[in-house]
Amino acid sequence: MNILFYTIIYSIQSKFDFEKYIEWGKNIINYVQNYKLIIFTNKETYKLIKNIIKDKNIEIIILELEEFYYFRYKNFLIQNTNKDCFPDHNISYKLILLWIERHLLVEKIKNKYKSDFYCYIDWGYIREKIDPIKIKE
């Protein structure tokens, strides 16, 4: 049985500082070390994360936000990320774009990577360090 994980990481305005996302990214990479991991990012963010990507099972796909299918609805997304919709967080429309687009990205990888299962893993899911010895047991 073959499982392929994919995730997205872009340095954009969101709830946490980008350094926190780097920390969580290290946890993800540790957690899925025995699987293929595809990371979607842009050139700018790749420069920020390349030093944590050392595993041969990780592949980077550079995809600029302007290449996303839903980027064509940018004005609608901007209109809906105002303070009325998100009063507790000052987030960018780009974050909403990532949340929407992540479901389409599996189609981009299915043709290139054959797998029994394709699993999206959010960059912020694994916030606690995981002992790699326990994972292998």
Side-chain angles (χ1 to χ4, degrees), residues 5 9 17-18 21 32 35 62-63 74 91 123-124 126:
F5 289 94
I9 181 67
D17 292 332
F18 194 73
Y21 289 103
V32 300
Y35 300 95
I62 301 294
L63 187 65
K74 173 184 170 183
I91 65 171
W123 196 264
I126 303 172

Side-chain angles (χ1 to χ4, degrees), residues 4-9 29 32-33 35-42 46 49-50 52-63 108-109 111-114 123:
L4 182 143
F5 289 94
Y6 71 101
T7 189
I8 54 176
I9 181 67
I29 289 168
V32 300
Q33 64 185 325
Y35 300 95
K36 181 80 170 168
L37 174 64
I38 308 298
I39 300 175
F40 286 90
T41 192
N42 60 2
Y46 176 70
I49 65 169
K50 68 181 179 182
I52 67 169
I53 301 169
K54 297 171 176 48
D55 194 306
K56 65 182 183 323
N57 290 329
I58 299 174
E59 188 161 331
I60 303 295
I61 296 179
I62 301 294
L63 187 65
K108 292 189 179 300
I109 58 177
N111 293 331
K112 186 173 181 182
Y113 305 97
K114 300 302 176 202
W123 196 264

Side-chain angles (χ1 to χ4, degrees), residues 80-94:
N80 285 286
T81 53
N82 63 29
K83 281 292 190 186
D84 294 333
C85 297
F86 295 97
D88 297 329
H89 305 292
N90 185 21
I91 65 171
S92 167
Y93 78 92
K94 296 173 184 176

Side-chain angles (χ1 to χ4, degrees), residues 13-51:
Q13 181 182 347
S14 57
K15 284 173 41 175
F16 302 97
D17 292 332
F18 194 73
E19 287 304 314
K20 185 54 86 174
Y21 289 103
I22 293 291
E23 179 184 318
W24 295 337
K26 290 176 185 177
N27 293 342
I28 287 175
I29 289 168
N30 185 39
Y31 184 72
V32 300
Q33 64 185 325
N34 296 320
Y35 300 95
K36 181 80 170 168
L37 174 64
I38 308 298
I39 300 175
F40 286 90
T41 192
N42 60 2
K43 291 176 188 172
E44 173 191 344
T45 307
Y46 176 70
K47 292 175 186 174
L48 301 173
I49 65 169
K50 68 181 179 182
N51 64 334

Side-chain angles (χ1 to χ4, degrees), residues 59-76:
E59 188 161 331
I60 303 295
I61 296 179
I62 301 294
L63 187 65
E64 300 299 328
L65 292 174
E66 296 79 13
E67 298 176 71
F68 282 19
Y69 175 82
Y70 285 104
F71 187 80
R72 64 187 78 184
Y73 302 105
K74 173 184 170 183
N75 291 336
F76 175 77

